[in-house]
Structures are given as C-alpha cells and as structure tokens.
Amino acid sequence: RASASSLSSSSSDTSAAVAAIQLGFLACPRRFNVAISRAKALNVIVGHPVALTHWPHWYALLQYCMARGAYLGAGGSDRIPR
C-alpha cells in the first residue's frame, strides 16, 4: 500500500502560505504521524519544502529523507532549503 501527501499553495509568499495552513495534519504532530505511517511500501510527499520546515516534525522528516538519499526537489540533494 502506498501513501501520498500533498501541500500546495498559489501564493508566492511563503509566510502567507504557512499562515494559511496552520490547521490540519501539517501543524499537528499526531495527525502528521497518521499521514506518514499508513504506507507499507512507498510514501510520496509533494509540497513546498520551505513551508514544511516551519514545523519541527516535518523538518525532521525532510532531514531523515535527505540523509538517506530519498529527498528530491527544491534545493538540490545537498541541503534542505529553509
């Protein structure tokens, strides 16, 4: 079973995008855990990495993925944008 999570915003202002998504599984560590732990074989997360790093649990996941070569996206493979 695979899981996909998505974060999207039409705003180019990252802080406005972050402020608009304070509710839901992005800001809640328990709902975050449910969102990422359901997959058995593959978990794909599509989102704005800078916005995600505003929450410590998402930043930790991005660091974990980066350390294991599983991060693809903005900022290349050598750092997580912040």
Side-chain angles (χ1 to χ4, degrees):
R1 192 165 87 177
S3 173
S5 299
S6 175
L7 164 65
S8 63
S9 172
S10 60
S11 172
S12 61
D13 180 5
T14 302
S15 59
V18 170
I21 54 176
Q22 288 293 323
L23 301 175
F25 77 95
L26 292 173
C28 178
R30 289 177 299 192
R31 292 183 72 190
F32 162 82
N33 183 50
V34 170
I36 67 161
S37 64
R38 295 296 182 225
K40 300 291 183 194
L42 177 67
N43 195 345
V44 176
I45 299 168
V46 178
H48 194 291
V50 175
L52 290 175
T53 62
H54 282 72
W55 295 283
H57 49 280
W58 281 102
Y59 184 68
L61 177 65
L62 288 172
Q63 287 181 315
Y64 178 88
C65 293
M66 179 73 71
R68 285 150 186 82
Y71 174 84
L72 300 173
S77 61
D78 59 339
R79 65 178 184 87
I80 298 170
R82 216 164 189 199

